[in-house]
Amino acid sequence: MVGVKQEAPTSTTSTTVKSGDWSSGRGILPARETLGPLFLMATTPAFSIVFFHVCSAMNGNFLEFAKLCINNGLLSTIYNVWPNPWDPIVWKMIGSFMIFELFLQRCMPGKEFKATITAGGNVPVYKANGMASYVTTILTLLVLTYMDIIRPALVYDKMGEIISSMNVFALSFCTMLLIKGHVAPTNSDSGSNGNIVIDFYWGMELMPRIFGFDVKMFTNCRSGMMFWAVGIICFAHKNMELNDGVLNIGMAVNVTLQLIYITKFFYWEMGYMCSMDIQHDRAGYYICWGCLVWVPSVYTSHSFYLAGHAPEISPLTAAAIFVFGVAMVWINYDSDNQRYVFRQSGGECIIWGRKPNKIIAEYTTANGEIKKSLLLLDGWWKISRHFHYMPEILASLCWGLPALNTAVVGPYFYTFYLTILLVDRAFRDDDRCRRKYGKYWDKYCAEVPNLIVPYVL
């Protein structure tokens, strides 16, 4: 989930992908080995701070920040705007949140779920309690607020320190994962690429577990996605504080649309555990730093901006944005759910009123076993091979639209970033599937020729 999606090298001793290895795929962005990861690791922590500072103190004006850098020097300017990473109040907030989410991940009841088989032949098993944990988290936040035990707007006030502190935590966490991958890997979906930069950036293990906790379920779902929901609710409280207890209508639309999207995510969490983020991207800087730092700082940026800068919009404009946004979230969910139900039922389901067309494809795992998989040729997936990315991008646009034309960076940066991320991911996944399925994927592409947008891409 970090800013630029790149190709993850495989678990071989080289960053060159071996013939027959389908654990990753090539996207469209350049510098995918040592130089790209080095550049991202050197710049993204600083960018998370600079981005926050520009949105919070400069009304999203990067030109003003550039002038500051010219006058005072780049490094000096970044040093001066970098918030204190050792604020004890902030570490108490972070620690309380993480311990609570770990408790829910372990103790909240849920059915056992077996995800799809990995390239190494392993079948991950999860406890499906994401929705229960999400509802419990939101209700706990609301109850503690109602009882005046916490002040949610403090998250807004301390957001800079939170991002700074999470950079420290995430970098330390990724270092620990690197060491664990070398000395105590969880299973056979692990190994070094022979390059410490690649090992740190992409990770050593596909699905590491620590004391029985699945690392990527925690970083991706229970930390990153859960804070997304908690954070924007706290920003809404700040908006009310600034407006004499009244929530701005644009802020209400922004937060409600995102909560619908996030609720959809946790309802569908086990589907996500079968997705590319979990099944093919390892637990390293890219995934773990991204979910621990990038998601809180960038995915919530439009809400952070609107908390202090939301313009007045008409009820009609708000309603139009809301209805279109809900439609996009529903289409995104329905397309994902079609594929999930199709896979879980072995193709024995009804899609758009009929039994779906499919291709039965064969592939070979890393240990030489021949397996079969089903490729869906109906519903939304007949329109394009990654149709679900279109409504997701359009939904993200609706989250920023309540800001109208008051700024570009604060309310709309996430949409720009998401478009680049998902287009590159589509190319990556397409290449990975071609390696995995071979002639069957060629047949699938002949049936569904469009990658994302029909007649465009």
Side-chain angles (χ1 to χ4, degrees):
M1 289 186 175
V2 75
V4 179
K5 193 82 174 178
Q6 301 187 33
E7 174 199 356
T10 69
S11 59
T12 64
T13 56
S14 168
T15 56
T16 302
V17 179
K18 295 195 304 182
S19 176
D21 190 334
W22 47 267
S23 60
S24 64
R26 298 184 184 279
I28 59 173
L29 297 175
R32 296 182 173 276
E33 295 188 358
T34 305
L35 291 181
L38 271 176
F39 173 77
L40 288 173
M41 289 188 290
T43 58
T44 47
F47 181 81
S48 68
I49 298 297
V50 170
F51 180 69
F52 163 78
H53 179 77
V54 170
C55 289
S56 62
M58 297 181 170
N59 198 28
N61 190 339
F62 266 92
L63 290 178
E64 184 179 342
F65 181 78
K67 292 177 182 177
L68 198 63
C69 292
I70 292 172
N71 293 332
N72 302 329
L74 176 62
L75 295 180
S76 176
T77 301
I78 293 176
Y79 177 82
N80 289 332
V81 303
W82 201 292
N84 175 22
W86 308 114
D87 187 326
I89 295 176
V90 167
W91 280 103
K92 181 180 178 181
M93 294 164 66
I94 293 171
S96 300
F97 174 73
M98 288 188 170
I99 290 170
F100 183 65
E101 293 306 324
L102 285 170
F103 170 78
L104 295 180
Q105 184 176 333
R106 173 65 61 83
C107 301
M108 187 66 67
K111 294 181 180 180
E112 180 182 275
F113 176 82
K114 293 182 178 180
T116 52
I117 190 171
T118 68
N122 297 298
V123 179
V125 179
Y126 303 100
K127 182 188 286 187
N129 61 5
M131 190 64 179
S133 298
Y134 170 68
V135 171
T136 301
T137 298
I138 301 304
L139 288 178
T140 301
L141 173 65
L142 296 179
V143 169
L144 292 177
T145 302
Y146 178 78
M147 297 175 66
D148 287 328
I149 295 175
I150 63 171
R151 173 178 164 261
L154 183 64
V155 173
Y156 178 94
D157 297 337
K158 294 283 188 178
M159 193 61 188
E161 289 80 2
I162 290 172
I163 296 172
S164 182
S165 300
M166 285 305 297
N167 266 296
V168 173
F169 175 83
L171 290 171
S172 302
F173 188 71
C174 291
T175 302
M176 181 272 295
L177 288 177
L178 177 68
I179 296 171
K180 179 188 179 300
H182 276 287
V183 302
T186 299
N187 56 37
S188 59
D189 283 302
S190 61
S192 173
N193 290 279
N195 182 329
I196 192 172
V197 173
I198 299 298
D199 287 347
F200 184 82
Y201 183 78
W202 286 116
M204 294 283 293
E205 299 183 78
L206 181 63
M207 297 174 181
R209 299 205 171 195
I210 300 174
F211 301 122
F213 289 97
D214 185 86
V215 168
K216 287 203 290 187
M217 174 177 275
F218 172 68
T219 58
N220 296 30
C221 304
R222 308 308 170 82
S223 182
M225 291 299 297
M226 200 70 78
F227 178 82
W228 187 354
V230 170
I232 62 176
I233 292 173
C234 293
F235 299 162
H237 275 271
K238 183 64 178 183
N239 180 262
M240 293 175 67
E241 280 191 1
L242 296 173
N243 292 284
D244 299 321
V246 178
L247 182 64
N248 176 275
I249 188 172
M251 185 78 191
V253 169
N254 166 274
V255 172
T256 304
L257 283 176
Q258 289 177 87
L259 287 178
I260 293 172
Y261 177 85
I262 298 167
T263 301
K264 179 268 298 183
F265 172 86
F266 281 105
Y267 178 77
W268 181 75
E269 186 185 44
M270 290 302 102
Y272 175 71
M273 301 313 289
C274 298
S275 72
M276 194 172 185
D277 280 355
I278 304 300
Q279 289 283 305
H280 305 289
D281 291 332
R282 293 184 171 199
Y285 179 92
Y286 160 68
I287 278 287
C288 296
W289 181 92
C291 290
L292 293 170
V293 180
W294 190 260
V295 170
S297 60
V298 173
Y299 285 43
T300 66
S301 57
H302 30 68
S303 301
F304 186 90
Y305 173 84
L306 286 169
H309 304 91
E312 292 297 325
I313 62 175
S314 69
L316 182 61
T317 300
I321 295 171
F322 180 76
V323 170
F324 184 73
V326 169
M328 292 303 101
V329 172
W330 181 84
I331 292 173
N332 174 253
Y333 163 75
D334 192 52
S335 56
D336 280 330
N337 192 57
Q338 278 184 358
R339 183 172 60 179
Y340 175 73
V341 171
F342 172 77
R343 288 174 174 173
Q344 292 298 306
S345 66
E348 298 301 319
C349 60
I350 300 299
I351 293 179
W352 288 2
R354 63 173 184 169
K355 189 174 180 179
N357 294 317
K358 61 181 181 291
I359 292 175
I360 301 175
E362 292 184 350
Y363 64 95
T364 305
T365 65
N367 57 15
E369 291 184 75
I370 296 178
K371 301 282 187 178
K372 290 184 178 181
S373 186
L374 301 180
L375 305 179
L376 177 58
L377 287 173
D378 245 318
W380 300 110
W381 300 93
K382 182 64 175 177
I383 299 174
S384 64
R385 301 194 295 277
H386 294 278
F387 170 83
H388 58 319
Y389 290 162
M390 280 196 296
E392 184 163 357
I393 291 170
L394 291 173
S396 75
L397 178 63
C398 292
W399 305 338
L401 282 177
L404 302 179
N405 62 347
T406 57
V408 175
V409 176
Y412 299 111
F413 176 81
Y414 174 69
T415 301
F416 298 145
Y417 149 76
L418 185 66
T419 302
I420 296 171
L421 173 79
L422 295 183
V423 170
D424 186 65
R425 177 180 290 184
F427 278 94
R428 278 208 325 142
D429 193 47
D430 226 52
D431 184 62
R432 181 188 63 80
C433 289
R434 186 166 284 106
R435 297 169 189 233
K436 180 178 180 179
Y437 298 118
K439 63 181 180 180
Y440 300 103
W441 191 253
D442 293 335
K443 182 180 178 181
Y444 178 70
C445 291
E447 292 281 348
V448 188
N450 300 296
L451 183 64
I452 303 176
V453 184
Y455 309 110
V456 177
L457 178 62

